[in-house]
Amino acid sequence: MTRQALCVALAALVLFLLGAQGASVVGFDSRFVLFAKEMLRHGPGFFPTTYGEPYPDYPGASTFLIYLASLPLGRVNLFSAWLPTALASAASVGLTYRLVAPLSRQWALLSVAMLLLTATFLSETRAVSVDLQVAALGMLAFFFAMRAERYPPRGLLARLLPLLLAGFVLRGPLGLVVPAGMACSPLLLDRRWRCLLVFSLGALLLLAGCGVLLLALARLTGGEPFAWEVLRMQVTGRLDGSAGASDALYYFRGSLGNYALAFPLAVPAVALLWRRKSDPASRLVVACVLAALVVMVGLSVPQAKKARYILAMAPLAAIVATYPFYVGDRRLAVFLRRLIQALWLVLPLLVLLGVWLGWRRYPQVLQALGWRVWLCVGGLVVLQLFSLSRLFQRDRRAELIALGAVLALWGGYLLVVEPAERRLYDSREFSLAVDAAVAGAPAPLVLYGMGRDARAIKFMVNLDRDMQPLFAGSPEQLAASAGPYYLMLDEQRAAQLRAAYPALEAPLLCGRFDNDRYCLLRVSNPSMFGSVR
C-alpha cells in the first residue's frame, strides 16, 4: 500500500474499533466468542468447540485469530473478538483507495465513503465476521490480478494461491471460491488466457487438496460421523438446500437493501460504460462489475444464501457507484452525481428521523442511554448544518458532504443503534444470575425449549467455566430427566407448565434474556411431568 492508502486504512481501523469494550455479547457474535472462550480454556484445535464438542461449520483458524488477540488480555472481550474483522475491513478500505487513487484521488475518497455507507459492511464490521476476512483476501487477490502485467506467471501464482489457501483455512471451500472468482475476472477481461488457465487449474487442485485435508482432520478430531457432518455443513447442505434455501435471484434482489447505498447506485452507473473508449478507469470499472457478477452469480448456484456471503462485492460496488464523479459532463453522470450528493446531504436528517422513531418505539431503552442520545442528536444537527454550508461551495464539495454522511451514519450507529441493541438483546445479567444459583446449590441445569445451537449459545457464552446443560422440549423429556434439577425457560412456557402441573414450584429467578422474559425454576420431583394433566 502507498502511504496515503495506509493512512486511510488506519483511520478506518480506529473508527471500526471505537467503543469495542466490555464482555456483553449479542447476536451472531455469541457463537464465535464461545468458540474463543473454549479455545482459551482447552487450547487450540483444528475445529472450534461448543459444549466441549467440535463444531463442523467452520475450521478453527478464525477462532484461533480471536484466541491470539485474547491471549495478552487473558480473556475474550469485544475488542479481541472484533479485532481480526476490523483489521480485514480496514484492509478492504485501504485496497479500495489504492485501486482507484492512481486514477483520481477524489474518486478514491468517495469510493471509500460509499463503502463505509454500505449497510451490511457497517453491521458486519462491528461484529465477528469471517466473511469480511474472506472479502479482504478477495480484494487483495483482485488487486494482484489487476496488476498481472507486472508479474511473471509464476510470480502471479505465488501471490494468488496463498490467498486462496488462507481463505480456505478461514472459511472452508467458500473461503477459497470467492477470492478465486475475483482474481479470475481481471485475467479474463485482459484475455490473459494462459495465466487464467494455469491459475484455474491451480485453484481447482488446491480446492481438492484442501478438501481432502479438511475431511482427514475432521476424522482425526471427531471420527467418521463428524467428518460427514463437516461435509454436510460446509458443502452438500449449502448446495442442496438442506441448510436453508433461497431463490436464484436472492442476491440481486436483496442487495438493493442489504448493500445500499452502493449496490442500487452502482446499477445505473454501469450504463456510463456504453460507447466509452477503453482507458484505465473503464477497465477498472468493467473488472469490478465482472468480479461482482462472478461472486453473485457463483454464490447463487448453492441453495443456501445469506447476505454476508457476498461481502466481497461491497468494495467493488462502491467503486462502480462513484464512477460518475470521474466521468465528464455526460448527462447520466451529472444526474447520478447530483442524486448521490443529495442522498449524502440528507443522510444526517434521515438518521435523526431514525433516532426519533426509535425513541417512540423503545422509549425506555433510549432513555437509559442518557447522554449518548443527546450527543448523537446534537452531532447530527451540526453535521446537517455543515453539509448544507458546503452545498454552495465547489471546492471539495462532494468529499465534504460525503464525510458528513459517513460521520452521521456511523455516529448514529455507534451512539444509539448499537447500545440500544445491546440493551434489548442482553443476556449476560440473567445468565450470570442463573450460574450463581446453580453454583450455590449444585444440580443439573435443563434448558427447556432452547435450541442447542441457538439461544442456548447465548446463555453459555456468558459463563466463565465449562458446563454441560441438558436439553428438553417436552414434559415427557422433563419427566425422563433425573432430579432434582434446575429448569431455565421463557416465562410463557413456564406459565403453561405451572398451569398444567400445579405442583411445580414458583420461579427462583426472573429477568430479561435476549429480548424476552426468562425464569429459573427448581424441580425436585420430575415424576410430576409424567402424571396425567
Side-chain angles (χ1 to χ4, degrees):
M1 284 192 186
T2 63
R3 182 178 297 179
Q4 287 183 351
L6 187 60
C7 289
V8 170
L10 289 175
L13 180 62
V14 172
L15 175 65
F16 298 158
L17 290 174
L18 277 178
Q21 58 184 354
S24 179
V25 184
V26 299
F28 197 63
D29 284 1
S30 302
R31 182 177 301 172
F32 289 96
V33 172
L34 179 59
F35 291 164
K37 281 190 168 186
E38 294 207 3
M39 188 172 283
L40 271 178
R41 288 197 286 263
H42 305 293
F46 296 121
F47 292 87
T49 61
T50 56
Y51 312 102
E53 300 175 358
Y55 191 86
D57 202 15
Y58 300 93
S62 58
T63 304
F64 185 68
L65 295 178
I66 302 175
Y67 166 82
L68 290 178
S70 304
L71 277 178
L73 305 174
R75 66 186 187 281
V76 184
N77 61 13
L78 281 182
F79 178 83
S80 62
W82 287 359
L83 182 60
T85 299
L87 289 169
S89 299
S92 294
V93 169
L95 286 167
T96 301
Y97 182 89
R98 180 68 182 87
L99 275 168
V100 186
L103 302 171
S104 166
R105 189 166 177 266
Q106 182 197 40
W107 184 13
L109 289 171
L110 296 180
S111 297
V112 168
M114 187 65 79
L115 178 59
L116 294 176
L117 292 170
T118 301
T120 301
F121 183 84
L122 186 158
S123 60
E124 291 293 313
T125 294
R126 297 286 293 184
V128 181
S129 177
V130 185
D131 297 286
L132 256 178
Q133 296 168 29
V134 172
L137 294 173
M139 278 299 291
L140 188 54
F142 181 79
F143 176 77
F144 284 139
M146 286 293 294
R147 299 155 60 93
E149 73 280 355
R150 302 190 179 198
Y151 313 115
R154 289 185 179 179
L156 183 62
L157 286 178
R159 287 166 171 80
L160 292 178
L161 292 181
L163 296 177
L164 306 192
L165 177 61
F168 191 99
V169 169
L170 284 170
R171 191 67 171 92
L174 184 63
L176 186 149
V177 169
V178 169
M182 294 178 70
C184 282
S185 302
L187 300 179
L188 178 63
L189 177 65
D190 295 339
R191 300 179 182 179
R192 298 183 181 277
W193 307 119
R194 183 179 177 184
C195 281
L196 179 61
L197 178 61
V198 173
F199 171 69
S200 300
L201 289 174
L204 283 173
L205 290 174
L206 188 62
L207 178 61
C210 288
V212 171
L213 180 60
L214 178 69
L215 293 179
L217 293 175
R219 289 190 185 93
L220 182 65
T221 301
E224 194 70 25
F226 181 69
W228 281 106
E229 190 65 11
V230 168
L231 183 64
R232 185 187 70 82
M233 293 286 284
Q234 298 197 28
V235 183
T236 59
R238 289 178 178 150
L239 290 173
D240 62 20
S242 59
S246 300
D247 63 271
L249 296 178
Y250 170 80
Y251 287 131
F252 294 90
R253 186 183 63 255
S255 295
L256 294 172
N258 294 327
Y259 287 89
L261 299 169
F263 184 79
L265 292 170
V267 173
V270 174
L272 293 172
L273 296 169
W274 180 254
R275 292 184 178 178
R276 184 168 176 82
K277 294 180 180 179
S278 178
D279 62 357
S282 60
R283 172 179 173 265
L284 173 61
V285 173
V286 172
C288 288
V289 171
L290 186 58
L293 285 174
V294 167
V295 171
M296 297 176 75
V297 173
L299 294 184
S300 293
V301 174
Q303 296 293 307
K305 301 176 181 70
K306 293 182 181 177
R308 65 177 184 272
Y309 289 174
I310 59 168
L311 269 165
M313 177 271 292
L316 307 174
I319 292 172
V320 177
T322 49
Y323 181 48
F325 290 92
Y326 181 83
V327 179
D329 293 330
R330 291 176 60 179
R331 188 175 301 174
L332 178 59
V334 172
F335 170 76
L336 289 175
R337 285 200 298 268
R338 290 176 177 174
L339 174 62
I340 292 169
Q341 290 181 83
L343 290 172
W344 288 342
L345 180 67
V346 300
L347 195 57
L349 182 61
L350 294 177
V351 176
L352 189 60
L353 178 62
V355 173
W356 178 72
L357 292 174
W359 185 281
R360 296 197 61 179
R361 178 68 177 85
Y362 302 105
Q364 293 181 339
V365 174
L366 265 65
Q367 286 174 13
L369 298 182
W371 62 269
R372 292 174 179 268
V373 176
W374 302 114
L375 177 61
C376 179
V377 170
L380 290 171
V381 171
V382 171
L383 288 171
Q384 186 63 77
L385 294 175
F386 170 78
S387 297
L388 289 171
S389 70
R390 300 295 100 187
L391 186 59
F392 302 103
Q393 298 183 12
R394 295 183 62 87
D395 187 36
R396 297 188 178 277
R397 177 175 59 193
E399 295 96 311
L400 292 173
I401 293 177
L403 175 63
V406 169
L407 293 177
L409 183 64
W410 279 80
Y413 191 83
L414 297 182
L415 289 172
V416 177
V417 176
E418 194 174 80
E421 185 181 53
R422 295 198 176 283
R423 282 188 172 273
L424 276 173
Y425 293 95
D426 178 62
S427 58
R428 183 169 178 79
E429 184 177 348
F430 184 73
S431 298
L432 292 178
V434 169
D435 186 42
V438 172
L445 175 65
V446 178
L447 304 181
Y448 187 77
M450 298 173 65
R452 184 181 180 88
D453 195 33
R455 275 191 165 174
I457 293 285
K458 297 176 182 181
F459 168 74
M460 294 294 296
V461 73
N462 292 296
L463 308 185
D464 292 322
R465 63 185 180 93
D466 289 331
M467 179 185 283
Q468 290 293 337
L470 305 175
F471 294 89
S474 66
E476 291 74 18
Q477 291 176 328
L478 292 177
S481 301
Y485 56 75
Y486 292 97
L487 183 62
M488 178 178 165
L489 71 173
D490 64 78
E491 283 191 346
Q492 184 178 359
R493 286 191 174 95
Q496 292 171 352
L497 286 179
R498 293 193 69 201
Y501 305 99
L504 194 60
E505 298 176 13
L508 300 175
L509 293 171
C510 288
R512 292 196 63 81
F513 179 89
D514 193 34
N515 199 27
D516 205 346
R517 295 287 302 177
Y518 266 68
C519 57
L520 179 72
L521 295 80
R522 185 175 175 91
V523 178
S524 302
N525 182 21
S527 61
M528 75 174 78
F529 296 111
S531 61
V532 178
R533 287 178 279 183

